[in-house]
Amino acid sequence: MQNFHLANVAGIFDWNKILDSLINMGIQIAITSVVFLIIWKVGIRLIKLAFNRQGKSKMKKSRQKTIESLLGNVFKYFILFCYIYGVLKIMGLPVDALLASAGILSVAIGLGAQGFFNDVVTGFFILAEQQIDVGDWVTIGAVSGTVTSVGIRTTQVQSVDGTLNYIPNRNITIVSNSNRGNMRGIVNFDLPTDVNIDDVQKMVDHVHAEMTPQYKDIIGEPRFIGAIKQSGNMVTYRTLIDAKADTQWQIQRDFLSGYLKEFSLNGIVIPESNSVTLS
């Protein structure tokens, strides 16, 4: 009796036909995958070539990289969607009916589509208003670093230690961009209280006279503010240096080194608490 039932069940299915169908489906999926992979590679390559040819245009290089990154992301999402759609069609699933189903759409929105659209809309306004470009130094919330990519869903910011932060566009509410307009470098240094402030100013002025002509990115003249606070037997002095965006950090480091060398040449012992702050 048991053998009879097994024979009947086996006879219900045409295993050769099922195997042929699976092999045919696998071949179609493989061919589709290869075709879409080629389209993916060629499309990304064409986008890069198009922007390389725009190298001599009036558009800022950072802006070109930002738009190139965005178009690349949009293209990748589009190709991925078309690929998934094609594979599901090959598998015989009623994709069109599923997409048209209000129930499925509601589930999709509940699973995160709403957040996706928020990311896209926010990303569009970030780009339209040119709030950030690839290569800019920004602070977004608790993250500070260099913008490496601006996508339709996320913005990537690399911190100083190399950490790559992926920030959903909908979470970007306040952007502090250090590459917009001229910047002001603030250099603070600590000296003992027994050092005469007039001598400090003479040494700082000497450094400014020697170094300023070497930097075309400095705007105006560096300014010695003087003493800003005293802590114990140490006094903190400050200088201000206005410079073009994205050049202030190197200028600050160089001028601090210049100050320290000048102090050392004049016999002033330099404490370990010297520091540079940015603004």
Side-chain angles (χ1 to χ4, degrees):
M1 180 66 69
Q2 183 176 2
N3 291 334
F4 174 77
H5 286 304
L6 290 175
N8 286 343
V9 172
I12 295 175
F13 301 99
D14 188 342
W15 295 106
N16 290 330
K17 185 176 181 180
I18 292 175
L19 183 60
D20 290 341
S21 178
L22 290 175
I23 293 175
N24 183 54
M25 184 185 300
I27 293 174
Q28 291 185 56
I29 292 176
I31 294 174
T32 301
S33 300
V34 172
V35 170
F36 273 95
L37 181 61
I38 293 174
I39 294 174
W40 179 297
K41 296 290 186 181
V42 171
I44 295 299
R45 180 63 177 167
L46 289 176
I47 291 174
K48 290 183 177 179
L49 287 175
F51 279 92
N52 287 338
R53 292 179 180 178
Q54 296 296 324
K56 297 182 179 180
S57 68
K58 295 182 179 179
M59 186 184 297
K60 289 175 57 179
K61 190 173 182 179
S62 60
R63 191 63 183 168
Q64 289 184 9
K65 287 184 175 295
T66 302
I67 298 176
E68 178 185 344
S69 174
L70 175 67
L71 289 179
N73 280 310
V74 172
F75 177 76
K76 290 176 181 177
Y77 278 112
F78 176 73
I79 292 298
L80 183 60
F81 173 80
C82 291
Y83 172 72
I84 293 175
Y85 178 85
V87 170
L88 293 178
K89 290 285 286 186
I90 292 173
M91 295 174 65
L93 297 176
V95 184
D96 297 330
L98 291 175
L99 291 176
S101 171
I104 295 297
L105 289 177
S106 298
V107 172
I109 292 175
L111 292 177
Q114 187 174 9
F116 173 81
F117 289 124
N118 287 339
D119 287 335
V120 172
V121 172
T122 305
F124 170 79
F125 283 109
I126 288 174
L127 290 167
E129 296 171 0
Q130 299 187 23
Q131 296 179 19
I132 55 177
D133 287 326
V134 172
D136 286 353
W137 179 274
V138 300
T139 297
I140 301 174
V143 176
S144 294
T146 303
V147 178
T148 59
S149 176
V150 180
I152 61 173
R153 287 196 61 249
T154 61
T155 295
Q156 298 178 24
V157 178
Q158 188 168 32
S159 302
V160 176
D161 62 358
T163 302
L164 190 58
N165 305 278
Y166 295 83
I167 306 173
N169 289 335
R170 64 180 178 274
N171 291 341
I172 300 176
T173 55
I174 298 177
V175 178
S176 300
N177 193 327
S178 297
N179 289 74
R180 292 292 184 269
N182 299 324
M183 298 299 296
R184 173 169 294 171
I186 300 177
V187 183
N188 293 338
F189 51 86
D190 300 327
L191 295 175
T193 54
D194 58 0
V195 178
N196 188 281
I197 188 172
D198 292 332
D199 293 336
V200 175
Q201 180 159 9
K202 289 178 182 178
M203 288 181 280
V204 169
D205 289 343
H206 181 259
V207 173
H208 290 171
E210 291 288 328
M211 296 185 63
T212 301
Q214 304 174 26
Y215 295 85
K216 62 181 181 179
D217 293 320
I218 291 179
I219 300 170
E221 295 291 334
R223 301 183 299 284
F224 177 64
I225 302 301
I228 59 172
K229 70 176 182 179
Q230 178 179 349
S231 178
N233 62 344
M234 302 301 296
V235 176
T236 301
Y237 295 89
R238 171 173 292 175
T239 62
L240 301 180
I241 307 172
D242 293 333
K244 294 180 181 178
D246 206 28
T247 66
Q248 70 274 16
W249 294 291
Q250 185 62 50
I251 290 174
Q252 285 178 136
R253 289 191 291 268
D254 292 348
F255 270 74
L256 178 61
S257 297
Y259 299 148
L260 299 182
K261 289 178 183 178
E262 184 71 14
F263 298 150
S264 180
L265 289 174
N266 284 273
I268 299 176
V269 178
I270 309 300
E272 296 180 357
S273 57
N274 280 290
S275 61
V276 174
T277 57
L278 310 181
S279 175

